Amino acid sequence: MTSQKPNNFLSINLGAIAENFGILQKTVGPHCQVGAVVKADCYRLGADRIVPVLEQAGCDFFYVGSPDEALFVRTLTDKPIGMLNGPSQGREDALIAANIMPVLQSLADIESWLSRDAPAMIHFDTGMNRLGLRADETTILCDRIATDPAYQAFAMRVPVIMSHLACGDDVDDPLNKDQRERFAAIADHFPAAQKSLANSFGIFCGDDFHFNQVRPGMALYGLNPQPGYDNPMTHVVSYHARILQIATAQPDETAGYGATHAFSRETLTATIATGYKDGFLRTLGNSGAVYINGHACPIVGRISMDLTIIDIGHLRKIGDDAMPSVGDYAELLGPHQSADTLALAAGTIGYEILTALGNGSPKIYLD
């Protein structure tokens, strides 16, 4: 990092990510493996920096989405890698050579993999209706395991079976229990395999959802896996943007494109150097806030491509210590505002906040 910071930047606390891994491992206990989900470049936060930190913290299993992700993460670790989105036709040999395990999603996937002398995982759809063997395919597979020696041998070398909770963010939703019971019944046919059902939310649904492997993603990066309760995870990501201009706005003047905000009184505005090209979502216009010297300042008008206007007039009444100068930084994520809180104002989820900002903004890593 140079001494000159950019106009806007993400600060990513690598030590906090390691701490979050430890929190999750302690939550599930020593007999349950924590497999880190590092797909989408660790939610756009930088797999090249984060994967080694997770491995050093004790992570010995990683999950990615695509072949390209898998092959890149393989350059960072020699630990097992599962590829969540299924086998990739035409790239099987390269994946096998790199010791990457695809997650098989259908009977057709399994039939095409039977003759390969390489491990593969299986995903069972127990209620998500997204990916995985549906109920009828699961019945056929279990019948074949019971009667066909080739399928029996295959089942014994499957390293991991998995499913995915549809409503893990609501611990009281009855579908969670239904999915757990369906998955437990399937697991009886794979005695040698690890069983993995819980994502970050599922880890906090209770011990009986842990089986012997969990797959956290968002919780590692500081998002709250217990909606409605205090976040048990350590804060990871901060986002700051430089103040480019401070100006006086008069009553009945307006802010931004479309004049969607009219000032009711004389006030001060600050224009900060971030916008939707940086991943600061346009839906935050007239609804979100940023923090200056610890004080909330509302966003006024629409978010522009690389500029955002905020109202700072109330800071004058607080005192000189509250007032910023041109060149100071506003806090958009940080100690005063989490990604989950900002997501509420944007009408989205913390996942989108992290991936959007991570895709558009420079990064500074705190070791």
Side-chain angles (χ1 to χ4, degrees):
M1 183 185 73
T2 64
S3 59
Q4 180 62 43
K5 291 181 181 178
N7 273 342
N8 57 68
F9 62 94
L10 284 180
S11 298
I12 299 165
N13 190 327
L14 297 174
I17 293 174
E19 184 175 340
N20 286 336
F21 178 86
I23 291 170
L24 296 169
Q25 185 66 75
K26 183 178 180 180
T27 300
V28 300
H31 302 296
C32 182
Q33 183 182 54
V34 177
V37 177
V38 295
K39 65 181 181 179
D41 195 29
C42 289
Y43 292 26
R44 302 300 178 202
L45 300 181
D48 59 330
R49 298 298 299 270
I50 293 172
V51 168
V53 167
L54 286 169
E55 182 172 344
Q56 187 174 10
C59 184
D60 53 12
F61 204 111
F62 294 92
Y63 282 99
V64 299
S66 69
D68 288 338
E69 289 176 357
L71 293 172
F72 177 69
V73 171
R74 175 52 74 222
T75 68
L76 306 173
T77 179
D78 60 2
K79 301 297 185 181
I81 297 173
M83 194 174 72
L84 290 167
N85 292 350
S88 180
Q89 292 185 352
R91 303 187 71 177
E92 295 90 345
D93 290 343
L95 296 172
I96 291 171
N99 194 26
I100 292 161
M101 297 176 289
V103 178
L104 307 180
Q105 308 284 0
S106 66
L107 279 179
D109 285 349
I110 293 171
E111 289 167 0
S112 69
W113 204 265
L114 275 177
S115 61
R116 296 181 182 275
D117 185 22
M121 306 158 68
I122 304 178
H123 184 180
F124 294 93
D125 178 9
T126 58
M128 184 79 165
N129 278 301
R130 187 176 65 175
L131 285 176
L133 275 73
R134 306 300 171 93
D136 57 340
E137 288 189 304
T138 299
T139 299
I140 293 170
L141 176 62
C142 292
D143 288 344
R144 289 179 181 175
I145 291 172
T147 59
D148 187 327
Y151 278 85
Q152 292 171 2
F154 170 75
M156 291 303 295
R157 68 176 188 266
V158 170
V160 182
I161 64 168
M162 68 174 59
S163 190
H164 196 74
L165 294 172
C167 301
D169 57 339
D170 181 358
V171 296
D172 297 321
D173 194 297
L175 183 56
N176 293 328
K177 182 179 178 181
D178 290 346
Q179 286 193 259
R180 187 209 169 277
E181 291 176 351
R182 293 167 193 160
F183 184 65
I186 295 167
D188 290 340
H189 297 272
F190 296 86
Q194 285 183 282
K195 286 80 178 178
S196 183
L197 175 63
N199 58 0
S200 292
F201 293 122
I203 290 172
F204 293 88
C205 285
D207 293 349
D208 55 348
F209 286 83
H210 296 164
F211 292 89
N212 56 9
Q213 191 200 72
V214 293
R215 308 185 309 274
M218 55 91 91
L220 291 170
Y221 313 122
L223 297 179
N224 189 357
Q226 291 187 290
Y229 297 88
D230 289 342
N231 189 352
M233 313 313 298
T234 302
H235 178 78
V236 171
V237 180
S238 298
Y239 182 59
H240 293 80
R242 193 187 301 274
I243 296 173
L244 300 179
Q245 177 174 292
I246 296 173
T248 300
Q250 300 296 332
D252 297 325
E253 290 184 342
T254 59
Y257 285 119
T260 60
H261 176 86
F263 295 100
S264 60
R265 55 179 171 75
E266 181 185 298
T267 190
L268 288 179
T269 65
T271 300
I272 59 176
T274 190
Y276 54 79
K277 82 167 178 62
D278 306 300
F280 196 60
L281 300 181
R282 192 169 182 267
T283 52
L284 288 163
N286 292 312
S287 64
V290 307
Y291 282 78
I292 292 180
N293 296 321
H295 301 285
C297 300
I299 296 170
V300 291
R302 292 177 179 166
I303 306 293
S304 302
M305 182 179 290
D306 54 2
L307 299 169
T308 296
I309 307 166
I310 59 174
D311 189 330
I312 62 170
H314 60 295
L315 300 183
R316 291 180 296 189
K317 298 179 181 179
I318 297 173
D320 292 343
D321 290 345
M323 282 296 296
S325 300
V326 171
D328 290 348
Y329 282 94
E331 174 197 313
L332 290 77
L333 293 182
H336 299 96
Q337 179 160 251
S338 69
D340 295 302
T341 302
L342 190 64
L344 286 175
T348 184
I349 56 177
Y351 295 78
E352 186 177 14
I353 296 294
L354 292 189
T355 55
L357 290 173
N359 198 45
S361 302
K363 301 177 182 67
I364 293 173
Y365 291 94
L366 309 178
D367 294 325

